[in-house]
Amino acid sequence: AGELEKRGLATFTYTQGSHEVEPPEGWEDYFGSRPLFRFLDTRHGDNFANLRRLRHMPHSINAEDSMRMFQNTGEGEDWHQEVWRNALNDVFKTLEENPDVDAIIGYSEGAMVGASLVVEEARREKETGRPRQIKARFIPDSLQCVKWLLMRFP
């Protein structure tokens, strides 16, 4: 980022989540010095518990059994949508305060929030006609998601 700014090729506006957290056990040194923040509020539960289940799913399991493992996921847990909506609203607020921002770079949780932001902007454009602010997206942690988004929302 510093090199791009030095050459006059880009400027950067930085944002981060607003929810202070402790790193997961075993990852204390990975994320750098404290305080650490997430975009998603984890006080009600962990949005990523099911993603972790995917990582430990046996490779020999067939597609039907895979679907059965997750068919009741989130049942009775209404907080998921509110948590994502609040995270996206925080990023939209940053965009409104910085109308010159036209690209987004995200990594890890920021990649998921960034990809969700692109989808939400496309939905809003379709419903209200409001043009999308984000014209380019670079989300290295979610390459497959980015390819899908770029094909679906050029």
Side-chain angles (χ1 to χ4, degrees):
E3 186 63 28
L4 290 172
E5 284 186 307
K6 188 168 73 175
R7 293 179 183 198
L9 298 173
T11 58
F12 291 85
T13 300
Y14 296 90
T15 189
Q16 66 182 12
S18 58
H19 304 284
E20 190 169 351
V21 295
E22 287 297 314
E25 186 177 327
W27 293 83
E28 293 84 0
D29 298 324
Y30 179 80
F31 297 101
S33 60
R34 288 173 178 78
L36 304 172
F37 296 91
R38 289 186 67 172
F39 287 98
L40 302 172
D41 182 358
T42 57
R43 289 178 294 172
H44 303 291
D46 185 356
N47 278 284
F48 302 112
N50 293 310
L51 290 176
R52 279 193 289 283
R53 286 175 62 196
L54 280 173
R55 289 185 184 153
H56 301 291
M57 193 164 59
H59 292 289
S60 60
I61 195 168
N62 64 39
E64 291 80 10
D65 288 339
S66 299
M67 295 298 290
R68 284 186 199 99
M69 281 180 66
F70 293 94
Q71 69 185 7
N72 296 324
T73 300
E75 237 177 50
E77 297 181 355
D78 298 337
W79 55 269
H80 288 94
Q81 291 297 322
E82 181 182 346
V83 165
W84 276 97
R85 176 69 43 217
N86 291 340
L88 288 176
N89 286 343
D90 286 347
V91 178
F92 275 119
K93 182 176 184 249
T94 299
L95 289 176
E96 288 168 9
E97 293 169 353
N98 299 278
D100 55 325
V101 171
D102 61 0
I104 190 165
I105 299 173
Y107 178 76
S108 192
E109 184 181 85
M112 288 188 286
V113 171
S116 298
L117 181 86
V118 170
V119 171
E120 180 63 11
E121 267 201 323
R123 184 193 68 77
R124 289 180 178 190
E125 181 181 45
K126 193 176 203 177
E127 287 183 6
T128 68
R130 177 182 176 173
R132 290 183 276 174
Q133 184 173 340
I134 301 300
K135 309 294 189 284
R137 41 253 177 220
F138 306 97
I139 305 174
D141 195 41
S142 301
L143 186 56
Q144 293 303 319
C145 180
V146 169
K147 286 180 183 176
W148 179 83
L149 288 169
L150 290 173
M151 289 187 317
R152 184 133 188 223
F153 304 105

